Amino acid sequence: MTKTKIITAPFRADHVGSLLRPENLHEARRLFKEGEITAKQLRNVETDEIKRIVDKQIEVGLELVTDGEFRRRFWHTDFLEHLNGIEGYVPEQGYIFNGDEETERYNIRNIGKISFNHDHPHVKDFIEFNEIVGGRAVAKQTIPSPNQLFNIGIRDENIYPDIEEYAKDIIQTYRDAIKAFYDAGVRYLQLDDVYIAGLSSPDIPFNDGKYSREYLIDLALRVANEVLEGKPEDLFVTTHLCRGNYRSNWAFEGSYDLIAERFLAKEKVDGFFLEYDDERSGGFEPLQHIPKDGARVVLGVITSKRGELEAKELVKSRIEEASKYVSLEQICLSPQCGFASTHHGNKLTEEEQWEKLKFIVDLSKEIWG
């Protein structure tokens, strides 16, 4: 992989990361759970499917590829539960999404002092994935943001009575994680963050808790920036802000207004993946806070929740509208989220998924050449 391939990351045509799991992968996971195949046999099925989707992403014209998160069940818990001091467990209730839809019950919790596990399986997974890519495109790695660990109910106050001490250990954990991924060959890293988007939702009553919304926004910004202090110049990092994505459903609403002046203006990343596929996201006005010639803005105006293709002229007009607040040269295009943030996947077909990604590639060439 050469630096010239990644100098403009995020790319004009990009995507968030997760892809629909094929039926044979669902079946292999079922057989493994029932003890009918081994872990090695399951991994072989995952590897074969990752090879297929890498080829397909290249075929539709993407300059970056992901492993589709095919070795994960959930976008966040699979990574976080392998950190020292964190474990996965089955709670009494899942997350509640729009329409009172309850997600599959699985979450993480703090059980000890937090640090990076240098045998973290996702590092090995990336090395194998990067070998599959073989320099044909840029291999993009996605992990949950460090701020996901600040969600309510995760921190054990007996272990960490002081939230600042908790933050300190999370920062060091993620610095170590980023170094491990960089040493493994990662040059394009995405931090997926529902927590920060939640801080900008007026419907989530943070001010009723121990800490004010303003304090938590400032803390989240500080954590993100301190994690990235001293990162290598040739490592490109983006943040994806999401309002929930589970079987084509969403968790909450709210524009980016409440976080724009601090987070969008000051987070030291190379790009923001922003959800703009429906009215829940508000207007483009918050983009005015992103510094000129600063982070790229990857507009998620293409939905991953439905299979129908958006009207080309409508997408172009929305990009034109956004360019009133941030330069067209800073804008990129992608779906608003992954196609399968969890193993369940969104409610569209794999063929529709690939049509969406090719549509994004073709439209980006029309707009930016």
Side-chain angles (χ1 to χ4, degrees), residues 29-214:
R29 287 195 178 280
R30 182 187 69 79
L31 292 172
F32 173 70
K33 186 177 180 179
E34 295 174 0
E36 295 186 35
I37 65 172
T38 65
K40 183 177 181 182
Q41 287 173 310
L42 171 59
R43 191 171 184 88
N44 288 341
V45 174
E46 293 170 347
T47 299
D48 288 343
E49 289 301 328
I50 290 169
K51 288 177 180 177
R52 181 180 66 85
I53 61 164
V54 165
D55 291 345
K56 190 67 180 177
Q57 287 169 86
I58 293 170
E59 180 187 318
V60 300
L62 290 163
E63 296 179 78
L64 72 310
V65 294
T66 73
D67 66 358
E69 300 180 2
F70 275 17
R71 300 200 197 278
R72 304 185 210 179
R73 292 177 62 252
F74 291 79
W75 64 275
H76 57 319
T77 55
D78 292 61
F79 176 83
L80 295 170
E81 69 185 352
H82 287 289
L83 300 176
N84 298 326
I86 299 291
E87 73 169 5
Y89 74 107
V90 178
E92 292 184 2
Q93 186 179 62
Y95 289 107
I96 303 301
F97 272 54
N98 176 54
D100 291 330
E101 179 176 8
E102 181 184 350
T103 67
E104 181 180 333
R105 296 177 185 183
Y106 200 78
N107 209 333
I108 53 143
R109 59 189 171 197
N110 173 211
I111 57 170
K113 292 292 185 179
I114 298 173
S115 64
F116 184 65
N117 169 15
H118 288 278
D119 292 321
H120 198 294
H122 287 199
V123 176
K124 176 190 174 186
D125 290 345
F126 177 81
I127 291 170
E128 292 186 14
F129 166 55
N130 204 22
E131 289 172 354
I132 290 170
V133 178
R136 294 175 293 159
V138 173
K140 176 179 176 178
Q141 175 69 29
T142 64
I143 62 174
S145 160
N147 284 308
Q148 285 302 122
L149 290 167
F150 290 93
N151 273 313
I152 293 171
I154 295 177
R155 175 170 64 106
D156 185 330
E157 294 190 18
N158 292 315
I159 300 168
Y160 287 106
D162 181 3
I163 195 173
E164 291 287 344
E165 190 66 25
Y166 184 63
K168 180 181 176 183
D169 281 358
I170 289 172
I171 290 165
Q172 188 58 53
T173 297
Y174 265 76
R175 282 179 175 172
D176 292 343
I178 288 173
K179 183 179 188 304
F181 279 117
Y182 182 83
D183 291 345
V186 172
R187 295 299 179 269
Y188 185 7
L189 180 69
Q190 177 179 293
L191 304 175
D192 292 319
D193 209 322
V194 176
Y195 176 79
I196 297 297
L199 287 174
S200 199
S201 173
D203 298 329
I204 298 180
F206 289 95
N207 286 318
D208 293 346
K210 185 176 180 180
Y211 305 101
S212 71
R213 188 189 302 266
E214 288 68 28

